[in-house]
PDB file of all heavy atoms in Angstrom:
ATOM      1  N   GLU R 287      84.328  -1.040  -7.147  1.00  0.00           N
ATOM      2  CA  GLU R 287      84.244  -2.474  -6.903  1.00  0.00           C
ATOM      3  C   GLU R 287      85.383  -3.206  -7.630  1.00  0.00           C
ATOM      4  O   GLU R 287      85.507  -3.132  -8.844  1.00  0.00           O
ATOM      5  CB  GLU R 287      82.900  -3.026  -7.398  1.00  0.00           C
ATOM      6  CG  GLU R 287      82.722  -4.497  -7.138  1.00  0.00           C
ATOM      7  CD  GLU R 287      81.460  -5.095  -7.715  1.00  0.00           C
ATOM      8  OE1 GLU R 287      80.698  -4.351  -8.390  1.00  0.00           O
ATOM      9  OE2 GLU R 287      81.239  -6.295  -7.528  1.00  0.00           O
ATOM     10  N   PHE R 288      86.207  -3.890  -6.866  1.00  0.00           N
ATOM     11  CA  PHE R 288      87.332  -4.621  -7.398  1.00  0.00           C
ATOM     12  C   PHE R 288      86.839  -5.978  -7.860  1.00  0.00           C
ATOM     13  O   PHE R 288      86.261  -6.723  -7.090  1.00  0.00           O
ATOM     14  CB  PHE R 288      88.446  -4.761  -6.345  1.00  0.00           C
ATOM     15  CG  PHE R 288      89.771  -5.151  -6.924  1.00  0.00           C
ATOM     16  CD1 PHE R 288      90.662  -4.192  -7.394  1.00  0.00           C
ATOM     17  CD2 PHE R 288      90.161  -6.496  -6.965  1.00  0.00           C
ATOM     18  CE1 PHE R 288      91.879  -4.552  -7.921  1.00  0.00           C
ATOM     19  CE2 PHE R 288      91.369  -6.874  -7.480  1.00  0.00           C
ATOM     20  CZ  PHE R 288      92.248  -5.872  -7.957  1.00  0.00           C
ATOM     21  N   VAL R 289      87.090  -6.319  -9.126  1.00  0.00           N
ATOM     22  CA  VAL R 289      86.595  -7.593  -9.708  1.00  0.00           C
ATOM     23  C   VAL R 289      87.754  -8.382 -10.294  1.00  0.00           C
ATOM     24  O   VAL R 289      88.606  -7.797 -10.967  1.00  0.00           O
ATOM     25  CB  VAL R 289      85.532  -7.290 -10.816  1.00  0.00           C
ATOM     26  CG1 VAL R 289      85.067  -8.573 -11.455  1.00  0.00           C
ATOM     27  CG2 VAL R 289      84.375  -6.517 -10.265  1.00  0.00           C
ATOM     28  N   LYS R 290      87.767  -9.673 -10.059  1.00  0.00           N
ATOM     29  CA  LYS R 290      88.739 -10.572 -10.716  1.00  0.00           C
ATOM     30  C   LYS R 290      88.063 -11.151 -11.940  1.00  0.00           C
ATOM     31  O   LYS R 290      87.140 -11.910 -11.832  1.00  0.00           O
ATOM     32  CB  LYS R 290      89.134 -11.688  -9.767  1.00  0.00           C
ATOM     33  CG  LYS R 290      90.023 -11.225  -8.642  1.00  0.00           C
ATOM     34  CD  LYS R 290      90.509 -12.394  -7.804  1.00  0.00           C
ATOM     35  CE  LYS R 290      91.451 -11.960  -6.755  1.00  0.00           C
ATOM     36  NZ  LYS R 290      92.819 -12.127  -7.114  1.00  0.00           N
ATOM     37  N   TYR R 291      88.519 -10.706 -13.129  1.00  0.00           N
ATOM     38  CA  TYR R 291      87.918 -11.166 -14.369  1.00  0.00           C
ATOM     39  C   TYR R 291      88.472 -12.518 -14.800  1.00  0.00           C
ATOM     40  O   TYR R 291      87.793 -13.280 -15.454  1.00  0.00           O
ATOM     41  CB  TYR R 291      88.143 -10.136 -15.489  1.00  0.00           C
ATOM     42  CG  TYR R 291      87.453  -8.818 -15.180  1.00  0.00           C
ATOM     43  CD1 TYR R 291      88.181  -7.683 -14.896  1.00  0.00           C
ATOM     44  CD2 TYR R 291      86.072  -8.736 -15.175  1.00  0.00           C
ATOM     45  CE1 TYR R 291      87.562  -6.478 -14.583  1.00  0.00           C
ATOM     46  CE2 TYR R 291      85.438  -7.541 -14.871  1.00  0.00           C
ATOM     47  CZ  TYR R 291      86.189  -6.417 -14.583  1.00  0.00           C
ATOM     48  OH  TYR R 291      85.556  -5.257 -14.280  1.00  0.00           O
ATOM     49  N   SER R 292      89.702 -12.809 -14.426  1.00  0.00           N
ATOM     50  CA  SER R 292      90.261 -14.132 -14.689  1.00  0.00           C
ATOM     51  C   SER R 292      91.279 -14.424 -13.577  1.00  0.00           C
ATOM     52  O   SER R 292      92.078 -13.529 -13.228  1.00  0.00           O
ATOM     53  CB  SER R 292      90.923 -14.226 -16.046  1.00  0.00           C
ATOM     54  OG  SER R 292      92.087 -13.434 -16.082  1.00  0.00           O
ATOM     55  N   MET R 293      91.216 -15.613 -13.056  1.00  0.00           N
ATOM     56  CA  MET R 293      92.165 -16.017 -12.012  1.00  0.00           C
ATOM     57  C   MET R 293      93.512 -16.363 -12.637  1.00  0.00           C
ATOM     58  O   MET R 293      93.604 -16.610 -13.821  1.00  0.00           O
ATOM     59  CB  MET R 293      91.617 -17.210 -11.228  1.00  0.00           C
ATOM     60  CG  MET R 293      90.286 -16.944 -10.540  1.00  0.00           C
ATOM     61  SD  MET R 293      90.382 -15.630  -9.322  1.00  0.00           S
ATOM     62  CE  MET R 293      91.073 -16.539  -7.964  1.00  0.00           C
ATOM     63  N   ARG R 294      94.540 -16.484 -11.822  1.00  0.00           N
ATOM     64  CA  ARG R 294      95.871 -16.804 -12.308  1.00  0.00           C
ATOM     65  C   ARG R 294      95.871 -18.121 -13.079  1.00  0.00           C
ATOM     66  O   ARG R 294      96.556 -18.267 -14.052  1.00  0.00           O
ATOM     67  CB  ARG R 294      96.849 -16.884 -11.145  1.00  0.00           C
ATOM     68  CG  ARG R 294      97.233 -15.544 -10.602  1.00  0.00           C
ATOM     69  CD  ARG R 294      98.211 -15.690  -9.452  1.00  0.00           C
ATOM     70  NE  ARG R 294      99.580 -15.846  -9.938  1.00  0.00           N
ATOM     71  CZ  ARG R 294     100.420 -14.838 -10.216  1.00  0.00           C
ATOM     72  NH1 ARG R 294      99.978 -13.597 -10.098  1.00  0.00           N
ATOM     73  NH2 ARG R 294     101.630 -15.072 -10.627  1.00  0.00           N
ATOM     74  N   ASP R 295      95.100 -19.085 -12.607  1.00  0.00           N
ATOM     75  CA  ASP R 295      95.160 -20.400 -13.254  1.00  0.00           C
ATOM     76  C   ASP R 295      94.193 -20.534 -14.420  1.00  0.00           C
ATOM     77  O   ASP R 295      94.142 -21.560 -15.072  1.00  0.00           O
ATOM     78  CB  ASP R 295      94.937 -21.539 -12.261  1.00  0.00           C
ATOM     79  CG  ASP R 295      93.534 -21.539 -11.660  1.00  0.00           C
ATOM     80  OD1 ASP R 295      92.699 -20.701 -12.055  1.00  0.00           O
ATOM     81  OD2 ASP R 295      93.281 -22.375 -10.800  1.00  0.00           O
ATOM     82  N   GLY R 296      93.426 -19.485 -14.699  1.00  0.00           N
ATOM     83  CA  GLY R 296      92.569 -19.501 -15.879  1.00  0.00           C
ATOM     84  C   GLY R 296      91.306 -20.349 -15.723  1.00  0.00           C
ATOM     85  O   GLY R 296      90.511 -20.465 -16.631  1.00  0.00           O
ATOM     86  N   LYS R 297      91.091 -20.959 -14.546  1.00  0.00           N
ATOM     87  CA  LYS R 297      89.951 -21.865 -14.392  1.00  0.00           C
ATOM     88  C   LYS R 297      88.663 -21.179 -14.062  1.00  0.00           C
ATOM     89  O   LYS R 297      87.590 -21.715 -14.315  1.00  0.00           O
ATOM     90  CB  LYS R 297      90.263 -22.881 -13.263  1.00  0.00           C
ATOM     91  CG  LYS R 297      91.259 -23.944 -13.683  1.00  0.00           C
ATOM     92  CD  LYS R 297      91.452 -24.927 -12.553  1.00  0.00           C
ATOM     93  CE  LYS R 297      92.468 -25.975 -12.961  1.00  0.00           C
ATOM     94  NZ  LYS R 297      92.779 -26.898 -11.860  1.00  0.00           N
ATOM     95  N   GLU R 298      88.742 -20.015 -13.412  1.00  0.00           N
ATOM     96  CA  GLU R 298      87.501 -19.352 -12.977  1.00  0.00           C
ATOM     97  C   GLU R 298      86.751 -18.780 -14.163  1.00  0.00           C
ATOM     98  O   GLU R 298      87.266 -18.034 -14.969  1.00  0.00           O
ATOM     99  CB  GLU R 298      87.826 -18.218 -11.987  1.00  0.00           C
ATOM    100  CG  GLU R 298      86.537 -17.572 -11.473  1.00  0.00           C
ATOM    101  CD  GLU R 298      86.785 -16.360 -10.627  1.00  0.00           C
ATOM    102  OE1 GLU R 298      87.846 -15.747 -10.746  1.00  0.00           O
ATOM    103  OE2 GLU R 298      85.907 -16.027  -9.832  1.00  0.00           O
ATOM    104  N   ILE R 299      85.505 -19.213 -14.252  1.00  0.00           N
ATOM    105  CA  ILE R 299      84.603 -18.604 -15.234  1.00  0.00           C
ATOM    106  C   ILE R 299      83.395 -18.179 -14.434  1.00  0.00           C
ATOM    107  O   ILE R 299      82.584 -18.998 -14.031  1.00  0.00           O
ATOM    108  CB  ILE R 299      84.189 -19.609 -16.307  1.00  0.00           C
ATOM    109  CG1 ILE R 299      85.435 -20.093 -17.081  1.00  0.00           C
ATOM    110  CG2 ILE R 299      83.184 -19.028 -17.270  1.00  0.00           C
ATOM    111  CD1 ILE R 299      85.170 -21.135 -18.109  1.00  0.00           C
ATOM    112  N   ASN R 300      83.309 -16.894 -14.166  1.00  0.00           N
ATOM    113  CA  ASN R 300      82.185 -16.406 -13.337  1.00  0.00           C
ATOM    114  C   ASN R 300      81.321 -15.419 -14.133  1.00  0.00           C
ATOM    115  O   ASN R 300      81.684 -14.992 -15.219  1.00  0.00           O
ATOM    116  CB  ASN R 300      82.671 -15.793 -12.026  1.00  0.00           C
ATOM    117  CG  ASN R 300      83.561 -14.590 -12.238  1.00  0.00           C
ATOM    118  OD1 ASN R 300      83.335 -13.802 -13.165  1.00  0.00           O
ATOM    119  ND2 ASN R 300      84.558 -14.412 -11.414  1.00  0.00           N
ATOM    120  N   PHE R 301      80.197 -15.100 -13.587  1.00  0.00           N
ATOM    121  CA  PHE R 301      79.259 -14.211 -14.285  1.00  0.00           C
ATOM    122  C   PHE R 301      79.830 -12.820 -14.529  1.00  0.00           C
ATOM    123  O   PHE R 301      79.603 -12.236 -15.570  1.00  0.00           O
ATOM    124  CB  PHE R 301      77.925 -14.125 -13.521  1.00  0.00           C
ATOM    125  CG  PHE R 301      77.157 -15.411 -13.518  1.00  0.00           C
ATOM    126  CD1 PHE R 301      76.988 -16.128 -12.374  1.00  0.00           C
ATOM    127  CD2 PHE R 301      76.668 -15.940 -14.717  1.00  0.00           C
ATOM    128  CE1 PHE R 301      76.313 -17.350 -12.383  1.00  0.00           C
ATOM    129  CE2 PHE R 301      75.987 -17.133 -14.725  1.00  0.00           C
ATOM    130  CZ  PHE R 301      75.802 -17.855 -13.587  1.00  0.00           C
ATOM    131  N   LEU R 302      80.579 -12.305 -13.547  1.00  0.00           N
ATOM    132  CA  LEU R 302      81.139 -10.966 -13.730  1.00  0.00           C
ATOM    133  C   LEU R 302      82.093 -10.932 -14.905  1.00  0.00           C
ATOM    134  O   LEU R 302      82.176  -9.973 -15.665  1.00  0.00           O
ATOM    135  CB  LEU R 302      81.854 -10.496 -12.467  1.00  0.00           C
ATOM    136  CG  LEU R 302      80.936 -10.149 -11.308  1.00  0.00           C
ATOM    137  CD1 LEU R 302      81.744  -9.953 -10.030  1.00  0.00           C
ATOM    138  CD2 LEU R 302      80.138  -8.874 -11.615  1.00  0.00           C
ATOM    139  N   ARG R 303      82.803 -12.020 -15.104  1.00  0.00           N
ATOM    140  CA  ARG R 303      83.735 -12.090 -16.191  1.00  0.00           C
ATOM    141  C   ARG R 303      83.034 -12.319 -17.519  1.00  0.00           C
ATOM    142  O   ARG R 303      83.266 -11.667 -18.492  1.00  0.00           O
ATOM    143  CB  ARG R 303      84.731 -13.230 -15.947  1.00  0.00           C
ATOM    144  CG  ARG R 303      85.643 -13.460 -17.127  1.00  0.00           C
ATOM    145  CD  ARG R 303      86.627 -14.532 -16.830  1.00  0.00           C
ATOM    146  NE  ARG R 303      87.358 -14.812 -18.050  1.00  0.00           N
ATOM    147  CZ  ARG R 303      87.882 -15.953 -18.352  1.00  0.00           C
ATOM    148  NH1 ARG R 303      87.790 -16.950 -17.524  1.00  0.00           N
ATOM    149  NH2 ARG R 303      88.542 -16.133 -19.475  1.00  0.00           N
ATOM    150  N   ARG R 304      82.124 -13.274 -17.518  1.00  0.00           N
ATOM    151  CA  ARG R 304      81.500 -13.685 -18.770  1.00  0.00           C
ATOM    152  C   ARG R 304      80.472 -12.687 -19.280  1.00  0.00           C
ATOM    153  O   ARG R 304      80.338 -12.464 -20.450  1.00  0.00           O
ATOM    154  CB  ARG R 304      80.830 -15.053 -18.576  1.00  0.00           C
ATOM    155  CG  ARG R 304      80.358 -15.696 -19.840  1.00  0.00           C
ATOM    156  CD  ARG R 304      79.688 -16.990 -19.599  1.00  0.00           C
ATOM    157  NE  ARG R 304      78.466 -16.778 -18.818  1.00  0.00           N
ATOM    158  CZ  ARG R 304      77.975 -17.663 -17.956  1.00  0.00           C
ATOM    159  NH1 ARG R 304      78.569 -18.772 -17.750  1.00  0.00           N
ATOM    160  NH2 ARG R 304      76.880 -17.398 -17.268  1.00  0.00           N
ATOM    161  N   ASP R 305      79.690 -12.098 -18.358  1.00  0.00           N
ATOM    162  CA  ASP R 305      78.555 -11.286 -18.765  1.00  0.00           C
ATOM    163  C   ASP R 305      78.803  -9.776 -18.782  1.00  0.00           C
ATOM    164  O   ASP R 305      78.068  -9.046 -19.456  1.00  0.00           O
ATOM    165  CB  ASP R 305      77.336 -11.592 -17.873  1.00  0.00           C
ATOM    166  CG  ASP R 305      76.856 -13.049 -18.040  1.00  0.00           C
ATOM    167  OD1 ASP R 305      77.195 -13.650 -19.060  1.00  0.00           O
ATOM    168  OD2 ASP R 305      76.166 -13.518 -17.127  1.00  0.00           O
ATOM    169  N   SER R 306      79.833  -9.299 -18.092  1.00  0.00           N
ATOM    170  CA  SER R 306      80.044  -7.865 -18.083  1.00  0.00           C
ATOM    171  C   SER R 306      80.847  -7.446 -19.318  1.00  0.00           C
ATOM    172  O   SER R 306      81.582  -8.235 -19.888  1.00  0.00           O
ATOM    173  CB  SER R 306      80.815  -7.435 -16.832  1.00  0.00           C
ATOM    174  OG  SER R 306      82.162  -7.836 -16.915  1.00  0.00           O
ATOM    175  N   GLU R 307      80.675  -6.181 -19.695  1.00  0.00           N
ATOM    176  CA  GLU R 307      81.418  -5.665 -20.840  1.00  0.00           C
ATOM    177  C   GLU R 307      82.912  -5.732 -20.539  1.00  0.00           C
ATOM    178  O   GLU R 307      83.718  -6.168 -21.396  1.00  0.00           O
ATOM    179  CB  GLU R 307      80.997  -4.210 -21.121  1.00  0.00           C
ATOM    180  CG  GLU R 307      81.749  -3.562 -22.274  1.00  0.00           C
ATOM    181  CD  GLU R 307      81.360  -2.120 -22.481  1.00  0.00           C
ATOM    182  OE1 GLU R 307      80.362  -1.653 -21.919  1.00  0.00           O
ATOM    183  OE2 GLU R 307      82.097  -1.424 -23.221  1.00  0.00           O
ATOM    184  N   ALA R 308      83.324  -5.291 -19.347  1.00  0.00           N
ATOM    185  CA  ALA R 308      84.749  -5.330 -19.004  1.00  0.00           C
ATOM    186  C   ALA R 308      85.275  -6.756 -19.036  1.00  0.00           C
ATOM    187  O   ALA R 308      86.367  -6.999 -19.542  1.00  0.00           O
ATOM    188  CB  ALA R 308      84.946  -4.705 -17.622  1.00  0.00           C
ATOM    189  N   GLY R 309      84.513  -7.695 -18.511  1.00  0.00           N
ATOM    190  CA  GLY R 309      84.947  -9.098 -18.495  1.00  0.00           C
ATOM    191  C   GLY R 309      85.111  -9.673 -19.885  1.00  0.00           C
ATOM    192  O   GLY R 309      86.103 -10.334 -20.174  1.00  0.00           O
ATOM    193  N   GLN R 310      84.186  -9.362 -20.768  1.00  0.00           N
ATOM    194  CA  GLN R 310      84.255  -9.871 -22.153  1.00  0.00           C
ATOM    195  C   GLN R 310      85.451  -9.227 -22.872  1.00  0.00           C
ATOM    196  O   GLN R 310      86.150  -9.903 -23.602  1.00  0.00           O
ATOM    197  CB  GLN R 310      82.967  -9.563 -22.900  1.00  0.00           C
ATOM    198  CG  GLN R 310      81.818 -10.423 -22.448  1.00  0.00           C
ATOM    199  CD  GLN R 310      80.580 -10.173 -23.284  1.00  0.00           C
ATOM    200  OE1 GLN R 310      80.628  -9.669 -24.416  1.00  0.00           O
ATOM    201  NE2 GLN R 310      79.415 -10.513 -22.722  1.00  0.00           N
TER     202      GLN R 310
END
């Protein structure tokens, strides 16, 4: 599963980024 942890502009804050170990 391909996941975007942070978008280019830094604005996206999503659950996959915030809550997953890889995202953190």
Side-chain angles (χ1 to χ4, degrees):
E287 182 185 2
F288 196 86
V289 178
K290 289 186 176 262
Y291 297 111
S292 70
M293 299 299 280
R294 285 180 83 87
D295 65 4
K297 287 182 181 175
E298 182 186 24
I299 298 177
N300 62 36
F301 292 113
L302 287 170
R303 174 179 172 207
R304 189 182 65 211
D305 295 341
S306 73
E307 179 183 347
Q310 288 183 23

